[in-house]
Amino acid sequence: MKKISIILILCLTVCMGALIFTGCNPSFGPVGTMEYKDSPVVNNGGLVVQQGGYLYYVNGMDATSNITKPDDNKFGKASVKGSIMKSKIDDNGNLTDTAVVVPKMFYTSASNGGFYIYGEWIYYLSPNTKTDNKSNVLSSQLVAFRTKIDGTKTQEIATLESNSTQYTFTDKAFIYYVDNTLKKVSYDNSKVNKKAENIAEDVTAVLFTAKSNVVFYLKATDAKKRVNNNMYAFVNNQVKKITQDTTYDKENDLSADDLTKQFTFALLAFDAKENTLFYSKVNNSGDSAKKTSTYAYKFDETYTFDTTKEVRYATTALTGSSIINLGGDKGILYTAAAQLEIYKPISETAIENNTQKGATLNSTGADIVKVDGNDMYYILSNTLYKIDYTNKDAITQELSKDSINTSWLTRSVIGNYLYYIDNTYNYMFRVDLTAFVGEPNNFVPAKGEAVSGTRKATLTKDKDGKITIKYVKDDANEEGVKYYQIPKFMTSDDAQKFAEANYEDEDKK
């Protein structure tokens, strides 16, 4: 017996040591199957990602302030609000077999944030559950993890000191930016190299783009006699030097004399679908006539740069967040003002922009979610609208009465569905963009639904006004009984609020 005990102790010691050196490896699944692990992935880097016949999504926006003790975000014990869910997509586009696949809160305050799926792994960020010397949970820090798509294994990748750190995941590495340094932590399909490596130091600016894993960055020239900077990209696990000191100054080589051929760049926006970078540049001559202009460059897979293929769009520096790439000669849609503008390409010597006035919105600050032909779908004041953006006399059409949250990360369109965080309970909802009826005198708004599904229930109200939820079978159909659909993956507190808001008092009908 004594010998067996010693063996058990030794085994436990080895196992604990392995956990210390290899990171966490909790098991949660299996959830669904891994049959689509080799299927194409749609919308990587968003809050909703499709891989083959499964849809993965963040089940709402929760606050890190709700994590007051480690168990509040412990793997397998975290709230369903903010966890990553998995649903099977049937032949009609309906979601079935919904379950939690990552039982931890997904969170980031970086504007480019989202989660990614590559093969068998889901890559995401979650608030740290470690504590300081006063037992305060370090929830302002984030930890990068990956979990198998069936929930059966999880590995820790890296810890970030700030929850606003810009980042992306590729199939080979976690990329992030801190202290003017672009860093990476590499991994393969089986293990993570926990040691961070520097990709580039002395970085002066960086551009991470939602739903893209290409990272652009700027560095000042190394030549002491020059004043330009240069553009770089980190793509396919390699550094691509887009411009160099001689890009515009091949004849003079590294001469410091001709400042008109030494440019300062600023990164504005990147259209991942078209592989097009928008940036501004100005020469350093000090000539007041040489103003900053906005350009675009469409890259091929080599990310080489040819100055003759630059496209100039504006005689000023446009705001990156207001640029919508229409592609090719169609130009760019600019949404900074209430009246939309379409910028067309101009020559290098042009002193005026070539713009076309478009539709006028009710105010500034529109969140553009989709452009389909001349139709622009957008959210303004938490409401979904559609308009013909090319028509300056166009009338806005309201598509839904649902209140949409635009305060956290980006909305996503997959197929006909717009996926969003609802503005009332902060869970993931979706609305069919084709489901509204906009005929004159017959407006039927599209109605959003909780992506994670609902449960059938009855609601009763006692003499003190308290609402009680009683869940019933889906086939329940008792005559004279009012049934309600309560979102299935809600916290009990949120479900209670939902029930109270949706209860119909028979006496007031």
Side-chain angles (χ1 to χ4, degrees):
M1 181 67 70
K2 186 175 182 180
K3 185 176 181 180
I4 294 174
S5 299
I6 293 172
I7 292 172
L8 284 173
I9 291 170
L10 286 172
C11 288
L12 286 170
T13 302
V14 171
C15 290
M16 290 181 69
L19 284 174
I20 291 170
F21 288 105
T22 63
C24 63
N25 242 332
S27 176
F28 182 73
V31 177
T33 70
M34 298 182 74
E35 63 183 301
Y36 298 106
K37 64 183 179 65
D38 298 320
S39 298
V41 173
V42 179
N43 205 52
N44 241 353
L47 292 179
V48 181
V49 179
Q50 181 178 341
Q51 185 189 44
Y54 280 109
L55 191 77
Y56 300 80
Y57 48 94
V58 178
N59 188 42
M61 175 182 66
D62 206 353
T64 57
S65 59
N66 289 332
I67 302 174
T68 59
K69 56 185 183 301
D71 272 1
D72 291 337
N73 196 35
K74 186 175 180 180
F75 198 93
K77 292 187 176 182
S79 167
V80 293
K81 192 173 190 176
S83 291
I84 298 178
M85 312 291 291
K86 178 178 183 178
S87 296
K88 195 165 188 177
I89 307 169
D90 70 17
D91 293 339
N92 297 315
N94 299 314
L95 303 178
T96 64
D97 301 334
T98 296
V100 177
V101 65
V102 178
K104 284 179 71 69
M105 181 197 295
F106 169 85
Y107 186 81
T108 175
S109 63
S111 59
N112 62 286
F115 71 94
Y116 296 74
I117 297 178
Y118 298 103
E120 300 178 356
W121 295 98
I122 305 168
Y123 296 82
Y124 58 96
L125 297 180
S126 185
N128 202 344
T129 56
K130 293 181 181 178
T131 57
D132 61 17
N133 57 9
K134 295 183 179 179
S135 297
N136 297 311
V137 180
L138 299 172
S139 58
S140 62
Q141 298 180 357
L142 295 179
V143 181
F145 292 98
R146 67 177 184 178
T147 295
K148 290 278 190 177
I149 56 175
D150 64 353
T152 56
K153 187 176 184 180
T154 293
Q155 294 176 338
E156 183 177 322
I157 299 172
T159 298
L160 305 178
E161 294 298 317
S162 169
N163 61 29
S164 62
T165 299
Q166 298 179 80
Y167 72 94
T168 189
F169 291 95
T170 74
D171 60 339
K172 294 180 176 64
F174 173 55
I175 317 298
Y176 61 102
Y177 180 62
V178 61
D179 296 332
N180 299 107
T181 303
L182 194 63
K183 294 175 172 287
K184 72 174 182 177
V185 176
S186 301
Y187 38 71
D188 58 28
N189 195 51
S190 59
K191 62 182 180 179
V192 176
N193 178 6
K194 297 293 288 292
K195 185 177 180 180
E197 306 171 64
N198 290 348
I199 297 170
E201 300 178 20
D202 300 320
V203 175
T204 58
V206 67
L207 178 65
F208 287 79
T209 306
K211 303 169 189 176
S212 167
N213 57 25
V214 180
V215 182
F216 294 92
Y217 61 96
L218 301 176
K219 290 186 67 172
T221 176
D222 291 328
K224 294 182 179 179
K225 294 183 178 181
R226 295 178 67 88
V227 292
N228 59 281
N229 65 1
N230 285 303
M231 295 192 292
Y232 299 77
F234 187 72
V235 56
N236 296 328
N237 215 35
Q238 294 181 323
V239 171
K240 300 286 187 178
K241 193 168 186 179
I242 296 172
T243 66
Q244 48 193 332
D245 291 345
T246 57
T247 296
Y248 299 92
D249 199 12
K250 290 181 173 61
E251 293 180 2
N252 296 320
D253 196 19
L254 296 183
S255 169
D257 297 332
D258 193 352
L259 292 177
T260 64
K261 295 182 179 180
Q262 298 185 39
F263 291 91
T264 296
F265 298 95
L267 304 170
L268 301 179
F270 179 60
D271 179 352
K273 185 176 180 181
E274 293 294 325
N275 211 27
T276 299
L277 175 68
F278 291 88
Y279 55 95
S280 67
K281 72 175 186 180
V282 60
N283 69 53
N284 294 300
S285 65
D287 183 351
S288 60
K290 302 292 184 181
K291 296 181 179 179
T292 304
S293 294
T294 296
Y295 293 82
Y297 195 92
K298 184 178 176 67
F299 292 100
D300 61 18
E301 65 278 1
T302 67
Y303 282 81
T304 53
F305 187 79
D306 180 349
T307 58
T308 64
K309 295 180 180 179
E310 285 183 286
V311 180
R312 186 175 180 230
Y313 277 109
T315 60
T316 58
L318 301 180
T319 302
S321 59
S322 299
I323 293 174
I324 306 295
N325 185 28
L326 299 176
D329 295 335
K330 293 181 180 179
I332 58 177
L333 175 62
Y334 195 55
T335 64
Q339 182 167 30
L340 308 177
E341 290 183 291
I342 300 170
Y343 281 72
K344 296 296 183 70
I346 56 176
S347 69
E348 192 62 40
T349 57
I351 59 174
E352 292 183 353
N353 295 321
N354 178 14
T355 60
Q356 169 191 330
K357 296 294 184 182
T360 299
L361 310 184
N362 292 335
S363 65
T364 60
D367 175 33
I368 316 302
V369 296
K370 180 182 181 181
V371 174
D372 184 10
N374 290 345
D375 290 330
M376 183 182 83
Y377 296 80
Y378 66 99
I379 302 165
L380 195 57
S381 299
N382 307 113
T383 303
L384 178 64
Y385 299 97
K386 183 178 79 167
I387 199 168
D388 179 350
Y389 71 87
T390 66
N391 182 0
K392 65 180 188 308
D393 298 318
I395 298 174
T396 294
Q397 187 167 36
E398 185 180 21
L399 302 187
S400 177
K401 297 292 184 182
D402 297 336
S403 184
I404 298 174
N405 187 307
T406 58
S407 66
W408 187 54
L409 306 184
T410 58
R411 273 50 58 202
S412 295
V413 175
I414 300 179
N416 291 330
Y417 288 100
L418 168 66
Y419 292 85
Y420 62 92
I421 303 296
D422 84 290
N423 202 41
T424 304
Y425 304 99
N426 292 327
Y427 286 87
M428 183 65 73
F429 274 58
R430 72 175 185 175
V431 61
D432 186 345
L433 295 176
T434 66
F436 76 100
V437 177
E439 299 171 358
N441 302 317
N442 184 30
F443 172 68
V444 180
K447 182 66 177 173
E449 59 183 6
V451 180
S452 60
T454 58
R455 296 173 65 186
K456 201 170 188 178
T458 60
L459 304 181
T460 56
K461 186 177 182 180
D462 65 18
K463 61 181 181 180
D464 296 322
K466 182 181 178 181
I467 303 295
T468 299
I469 305 171
K470 182 181 179 181
Y471 294 104
V472 298
K473 294 182 179 180
D474 289 338
D475 60 357
N477 191 25
E478 186 177 341
E479 186 176 351
V481 175
K482 170 72 177 177
Y483 293 101
Y484 297 81
Q485 293 294 335
I486 310 295
K488 187 182 296 185
F489 289 89
M490 259 189 175
T491 65
S492 57
D493 287 345
D494 287 335
Q496 185 66 34
K497 293 175 184 176
F498 184 92
E500 290 171 357
N502 287 273
Y503 177 78
E504 296 181 5
D505 197 328
E506 296 295 326
D507 295 336
K508 294 182 180 180
K509 286 187 178 181

